[in-house]
């Protein structure tokens, strides 16, 4: 495909986001087919999709990595990121939302709003990403347009603008009725390429009028121009209506609704029209904030001739091209062969190659300009969250924040010879995935890997074998606890060594006190009169941060501690940064040990879908796991139970639920927050760790 220089106002950078199994990848495959990007429809069940190209994705029928692709529709360039729906790969959604201008959120017409779709909706709201809603699977048994709208209203509490209603439901679903145009589109071919345009069928007139009125009222509610016309005439002209819907969507105050069945090839062309008509271009998304070398804040426009500012949102080790750094260019133009600055690390690099991406296929291009998504080949040490800028004008964009891992396992290679290969492979995965962490436990000589869930770590181990031919033994999954303190304490740290030449001298007194646990460790220098020279303060802070990585109870990171450096002393000859680092580390460990430390555990928001008959047993199983039921929604003869349950109690719950419900129950969970472990449970956890029980 030749490089097409699309005007900025015609570019759409969008994501497809949803709960697992709502049909994201199938929808993306249909978009690629109808836009002429592919010539054969891929299906998840057949394992031949373009976007799910990893072996692990095709085997499991799920998306694991966010794939990027480009297609064209009616003069618009649509850059799409297909994101995973599984909670374990939440980082892929987080990094994608950070660089997108808009998103299509897919809900299943059978299940409505589910736990993970609620979570990705919140993520999109946090990143202020405009969205359109696509209700998929209208052909499935149990599909209900009305119930899905109700679940969106109840669970998301947002203003929606229905622009279409389905023409039939379940096996009678044959097309869509457009509420703006007042037309019906009936699909006449299996592949969905042919459909006929008709008037609204007589039996749908009442439903059409009802939903058209809802659409007009909701648009008038959020747009003053539309409101004026609606109050004067009782209707809103088509062109004004479309402009008002676009304004409401771009500003994030309302969300247009589309319907279809991606698997049955119905409704995709209208969805594509909606993407082009209502989702924002880089120009609509407007200016972005960057920081200069001097710490000044400047606002950048999406202008190809402006100063270069591109954000690395993903890094991938490619066996053929080496390290690929996926970038979103916000301002300026990134050119092949040019020298650029990694403004985050202050390293000057040459851009060897630039690529436009199509899932796992690449196309070389000469430049990427403001508004483009692409990849740079050969830029070392550029990891997720780094900013690429002009050498003459260093600019730093806001970093990407990722959640902390919640599950850990010990891992070791089956043969000694593989030890180094294992370390190198894990290090590569850690560069690619910011939610994957590696730690070497000095006490047990074990390598501990941590991630967002059991599946996340299972995929890592599978990739070790497939991509690097390393077989590894893996321990049982463990909860990644955190440690915090419940009182204040003061401690002294000294490091004094006398040797033949210069000695070592560091002496600090620190005070620790509890703060909110989501704040990590906050350091403050309270010394006066130069009792410790300012040059040594950063080393003391570093010593504290290093010590905070291993808490006194079980060696988990310490959170929620305010550290004040209140006193100390130095030696004019023997004091060094190293001595103060060691002294601070010792003082922090002692102070935290005296400040009544306790464990924090991850609490999961769990959604259990279960036939009404088994509700009692399921509620008992939640209570038995230290969980609490927060609400229940009835849908037909099934119940959706929403509960908060500690992660520690959720290992192996799939088997338990299958047994309780004769294989008919299912559940999904997302991380909710960290909470203090009850004293009796903490005692048990500590005894287990010491081998006493």
């Amino acid at each position: 495909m030749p490089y097409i220089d699309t005007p900025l106002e015609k570019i759409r950078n969008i994501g497809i986001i949803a709960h697992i199994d709502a049909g994201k990848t199938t929808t993306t495959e249909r978009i690629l087919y109808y836009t002429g990007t592919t010539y054969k429809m891929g299906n998840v069940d057949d394992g031949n999709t373009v976007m799910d190209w990893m072996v692990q994705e095709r085997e499991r029928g799920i998306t694991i990595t966010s794939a990027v692709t480009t297609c064209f529709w009616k003069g618009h360039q649509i850059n799409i990121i297909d994101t995973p729906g599984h909670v374990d790969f939440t980082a892929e959604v987080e990094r994608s939302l950070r660089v997108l201008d808009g998103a299509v959120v897919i809900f299943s017409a059978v299940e409505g709003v589910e736990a993970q779709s609620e979570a990705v909706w919140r993520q999109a709201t946090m990143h202020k990403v405009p969205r359109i809603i696509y209700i998929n699977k209208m052909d499935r048994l149990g599909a209900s347009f009305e119930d899905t709208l109700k679940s969106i209203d109840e669970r998301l509490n947002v203003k929606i603008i229905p622009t279409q209603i389905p023409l039939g439901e379940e096996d009678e679903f044959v097309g869509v009725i457009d509420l703006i145009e007042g037309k019906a589109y009936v699909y006449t071919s299996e592949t969905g390429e042919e459909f006929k345009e008709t008037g609204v069928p007589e039996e749908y007139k009442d439903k059409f009028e009802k939903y058209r009125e809802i659409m007009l009222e909701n648009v008038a509610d959020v747009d003053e121009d539309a409101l004026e016309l609606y109050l004067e005439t009782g209707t809103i002209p088509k062109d004004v209506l479309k402009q008002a819907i676009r304004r409401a969507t771009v500003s994030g105050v309302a969300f247009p609704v589309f319907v279809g069945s991606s698997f049955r090839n119905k409704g995709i062309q209208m969805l594509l029209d909606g993407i082009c008509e209502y989702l924002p271009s880089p120009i609509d998304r407007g200016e972005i904030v960057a920081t200069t070398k001097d710490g000044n804040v400047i606002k950048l426009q999406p202008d190809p001739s402006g100063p270069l500012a591109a954000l690395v949102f993903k890094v991938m080790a490619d066996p053929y091209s080496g390290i690929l750094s996926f970038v979103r260019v916000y301002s300026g133009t990134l050119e092949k062969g040019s020298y650029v600055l990694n403004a985050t690390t202050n390293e000057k690099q040459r851009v060897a190659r630039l690529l436009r991406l199509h899932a796992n296929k690449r196309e070389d291009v000469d430049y990427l300009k403001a508004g483009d998504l692409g990849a740079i080949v050969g830029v070392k040490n550029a990891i997720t969250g780094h900013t690429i800028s002009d050498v003459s004008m260093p600019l730093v964009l806001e970093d990407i924040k990722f959640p902390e891992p919640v599950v850990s396992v010990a891992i070791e290679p089956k043969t000694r010879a593989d030890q180094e290969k294992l370390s190198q492979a894990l290090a590569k995965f850690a560069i690619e995935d910011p939610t994957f962490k590696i730690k070497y436990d000095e006490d047990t000589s074990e390598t501990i890997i941590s991630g967002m869930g059991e599946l996340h770590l299972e995929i890592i181990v599978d990739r070790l074998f497939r991509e690097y031919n390393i077989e590894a033994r893996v321990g049982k999954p463990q909860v990644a606890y955190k440690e915090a303190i419940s009182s204040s304490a003061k401690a002294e740290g000294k490091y004094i060594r006398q040797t033949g030449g210069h000695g070592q001298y560091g002496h600090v007194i620190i005070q620790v006190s509890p703060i909110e646990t989501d704040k990590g460790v906050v350091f403050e220098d309270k010394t006066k009169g130069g009792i410790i020279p300012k040059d040594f303060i950063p080393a003391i802070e570093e010593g504290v941060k290093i010590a905070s990585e291993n808490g006194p109870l079980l060696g988990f990171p310490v959170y929620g501690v305010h550290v004040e450096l209140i006193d100390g002393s130095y030696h004019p000859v023997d004091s060094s940064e190293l001595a103060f680092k060691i002294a601070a580390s010792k003082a922090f460990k002692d102070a935290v040990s005296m400040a009544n430390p306790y464990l924090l555990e991850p609490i999961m928001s769990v959604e259990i879908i279960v036939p009404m008959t088994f509700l009692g047993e399921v509620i008992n199983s939640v209570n038995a796991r230290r969980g609490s039921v927060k609400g229940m929604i009835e849908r037909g003869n099934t119940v959706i139970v929403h509960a908060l349950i500690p992660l520690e109690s959720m290992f192996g719950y799939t088997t338990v639920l299958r047994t309780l419900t004769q294989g008919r129950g299912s559940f999904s969970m997302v991380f909710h927050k960290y909470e203090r472990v009850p004293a009796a449970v903490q005692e048990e956890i500590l005894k287990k760790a010491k081998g006493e029980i």
Side-chain angles (χ1 to χ4, degrees), residues 45-67:
D45 294 346
D46 300 338
N48 62 355
T49 57
V50 173
M51 300 304 274
D52 284 351
W53 52 271
M54 285 172 71
V55 180
Q56 293 84 354
E57 293 178 311
R58 290 186 167 182
E59 283 179 352
R60 289 168 172 80
I62 61 167
T63 302
I64 293 167
T65 61
S66 47

Side-chain angles (χ1 to χ4, degrees), residues 260-402:
S261 164
S262 300
F263 187 66
R264 298 282 172 219
N265 315 315
K266 294 178 176 68
I268 298 297
Q269 294 93 332
M270 294 82 194
L271 176 64
L272 276 162
D273 290 343
I275 288 167
C276 298
E277 279 174 334
Y278 303 128
L279 286 179
S281 72
I283 293 173
D284 297 315
R285 285 290 272 164
E287 59 194 23
I288 187 160
V289 171
T291 311
T292 65
K293 204 175 180 181
D294 311 326
N296 296 323
V297 171
I298 64 163
K299 291 178 177 176
L300 300 170
Q301 300 301 326
D303 178 3
S305 58
L308 177 64
L311 184 75
V312 178
F313 67 93
K314 181 180 166 85
V315 176
M316 200 169 91
D318 183 85
Y320 307 107
S321 310
I323 297 288
L324 293 183
S325 302
F326 289 54
V327 289
R328 160 74 194 259
V329 184
Y330 284 98
S331 169
T333 302
L334 187 58
E335 294 179 0
K336 187 172 88 171
S338 65
Y339 280 91
V340 294
L341 185 76
N342 179 338
T344 315
T345 62
N346 209 29
E347 289 175 274
K348 187 178 168 185
Q349 306 259 340
R350 185 176 175 274
V351 177
R353 284 170 71 200
L354 288 173
L355 303 172
R356 177 181 276 174
L357 302 149
H358 183 40
N360 65 332
K361 295 186 174 68
R362 333 252 181 252
E363 171 200 349
D364 277 272
V365 291
D366 292 331
Y367 60 89
L368 294 169
K369 61 180 175 55
D372 278 341
L373 293 173
I376 312 174
V377 180
V379 177
K380 290 176 188 165
N381 305 326
I383 60 169
T384 301
H386 284 186
T387 306
I388 304 297
S389 70
D390 287 320
V391 176
S392 57
M393 191 176 179
L395 294 171
V396 178
L397 298 166
E398 188 191 341
D399 197 357
I400 308 175
K401 306 281 186 292
F402 292 102

Side-chain angles (χ1 to χ4, degrees), residues 449-483:
I449 57 172
S450 307
M452 298 309 296
E454 290 178 80
L455 180 63
H456 186 192
L457 298 178
E458 187 188 305
I459 298 290
I460 295 277
V461 174
D462 193 38
R463 287 185 64 193
L464 282 173
F465 178 60
R466 306 252 185 140
E467 293 170 33
Y468 295 93
N469 204 20
I470 301 167
E471 288 196 53
R473 290 190 200 91
V474 179
K476 280 187 177 171
Q478 305 290 326
V479 175
Y481 294 101
K482 289 180 179 178
E483 300 187 19

Side-chain angles (χ1 to χ4, degrees), residues 206-224:
D206 289 350
K207 197 173 183 182
F208 170 78
E209 290 302 337
K210 173 190 164 184
Y211 279 104
R212 183 173 162 81
E213 200 53 40
I214 291 171
M215 173 183 72
L216 295 174
E217 281 176 12
N218 287 2
V219 171
D221 264 359
V222 294
D223 191 272
E224 282 183 24

